[in-house]
Amino acid sequence: MSSSLKDKIDKRNLPWHIAIIMDGNGRWAEQHGKIRTFGHSQGVEAVRDTAKACAELGIRYLTLYAFSTENWIRPKFEIDALMTLLVDTISAETQTFLNNNIRLLTIGDTLGLPETCRKSLNECMEKTKKLDGMKLVLALNYSSKWELTEAARKIAAQVESGKLKSSDIDEKKVAENLNTAAIPDPELLIRTSGEFRISNFMLWQIAYTELYFTPVLWPDFRRDDVYKAILDFQKRERRFGGIKAIKQHE
Ligand code: IPE
Ligand code: IPE
Ligand code: MG
């Protein structure tokens, strides 16, 4: 099954950057008669399989939305479990990153994360910084409105200090001041768990991204689901405001 789906993928038309809103851990746990945090732990296997599948295919960037600025309103017990899981997973998976030539990056307000999380993230980013394979971007304490507000603040400071004229502010300048300044926009955005919303994720960057929604709950998501999403993406006609390309008759 797995190899046949993978074989159908056109290697010349791969998305350069795939972003995923990993959702449905709580519902998965509920369906299995477990507490919500069990669903989060099970989600780690989905991350591992997805990252390996994308790296193997030659995807250049994989961004995973792991914790939003809104997720702080969850019960303390769940937040603590998520933060502990993050520390443990990053430490345990650093070898997987090294073996698969994956470089770790983050976006989001990581200064707002507990010290233990920042430490394990920094260690892993340092150890993988020279790797030139896929970049795994974890969106942590991230929200798009926060990111855009920060960008506005940074740009305003440049204008205030006289380094920049307001008439020189263009789309490039805004993009340069986002957390994703060094990361191309995703071509494909996947959301699991059957929800049809964006939940404050990469609002600027997904202006022309192809959206793919699947009912699969995140802990059940595996490489075949990645392949299905890419195959669906490859059937789309991306127009960017233009018109359908007319086939020439011979
Ligand atoms: C996604 O799963 C993980 C995070 C948002 C941290 P959820 O915890 O949102 O699971 P559901 O949506 O309640 O099922
Ligand atoms: C989005 O999932 C955030 C992450 C996946 C980290 P949520 O579960 O927080 O989104 P809503 O609340 O259903 O919109
Ligand atoms: Mg959710």
Side-chain angles (χ1 to χ4, degrees):
M1 171 78 171
S2 175
S3 63
S4 64
L5 276 175
K6 190 181 177 189
D7 291 345
K8 286 187 191 140
I9 293 174
D10 176 358
K11 300 290 181 317
R12 294 158 307 171
N13 183 24
L14 285 172
W16 190 257
H17 179 181
I18 299 178
I20 307 183
I21 302 174
M22 310 183 288
D23 197 17
N25 296 353
R27 276 161 285 169
W28 187 94
E30 198 181 323
Q31 284 176 12
H32 290 76
K34 309 274 191 194
I35 57 167
R36 292 179 54 85
T37 51
F38 187 74
H40 297 315
S41 315
Q42 293 300 303
V44 174
E45 188 51 38
V47 171
R48 198 180 290 124
D49 206 43
T50 301
K52 281 191 188 165
C54 289
E56 265 171 42
L57 277 174
I59 303 299
R60 303 305 299 160
Y61 296 84
L62 173 66
T63 300
L64 301 175
Y65 199 11
F67 195 84
S68 76
T69 57
E70 282 83 18
N71 287 145
W72 294 109
I73 60 171
R74 294 189 181 202
K76 186 177 181 309
F77 171 77
E78 181 170 343
I79 295 172
D80 289 348
L82 277 165
M83 296 302 157
T84 306
L85 185 65
L86 177 67
V87 175
D88 293 349
T89 307
I90 293 297
S91 310
E93 297 301 325
T94 300
Q95 196 55 47
T96 316
F97 289 119
L98 295 167
N99 294 345
N100 292 277
N101 199 23
I102 296 172
R103 177 174 178 190
L104 180 73
L105 297 173
T106 62
I107 55 170
D109 190 5
T110 47
L111 288 175
L113 293 173
E115 171 65 28
T116 48
C117 292
R118 297 211 308 269
K119 193 166 166 285
S120 66
L121 287 166
N122 286 337
E123 273 172 17
C124 185
M125 287 193 288
E126 184 60 30
K127 283 185 185 154
T128 62
K129 73 175 182 199
K130 299 235 163 67
L131 301 182
D132 61 359
M134 185 179 82
K135 288 170 189 65
L136 180 73
V137 185
L138 285 184
L140 290 164
N141 197 17
Y142 174 88
S143 84
S144 200
K145 287 190 177 180
W146 166 81
E147 182 187 39
L148 287 161
T149 308
E150 282 300 301
R153 208 193 301 273
K154 287 185 216 162
I155 293 169
Q158 291 167 48
V159 174
E160 256 172 16
S161 70
K163 275 195 220 138
L164 183 71
K165 287 199 296 219
S166 61
S167 55
D168 287 338
I169 300 171
D170 54 10
E171 290 185 8
K172 189 165 166 278
K173 186 54 72 190
V174 176
E176 276 169 16
N177 283 280
L178 298 174
N179 285 198
T180 51
I183 302 172
D185 291 344
E187 288 91 347
L188 173 62
L189 171 67
I190 300 170
R191 181 168 187 148
T192 60
S193 89
E195 304 293 354
F196 296 98
R197 57 176 171 265
I198 300 300
S199 303
N200 213 347
F201 187 54
M202 287 194 158
L203 299 177
W204 172 279
Q205 296 86 342
I206 62 169
Y208 266 105
T209 299
E210 296 297 327
L211 309 180
Y212 179 85
F213 298 96
T214 169
V216 175
L217 301 176
W218 180 252
D220 288 330
F221 196 84
R222 289 293 178 277
R223 56 181 59 225
D224 271 355
D225 299 297
V226 177
Y227 300 150
K228 281 180 202 158
I230 295 174
L231 286 166
D232 196 272
F233 166 82
Q234 293 188 332
K235 286 193 294 212
R236 315 265 182 107
E237 194 195 62
R238 307 189 73 203
R239 297 192 199 152
F240 302 99
I243 56 167
K244 191 171 163 38
I246 297 165
K247 288 221 175 70
Q248 298 295 319
H249 296 287
E250 41 285 39

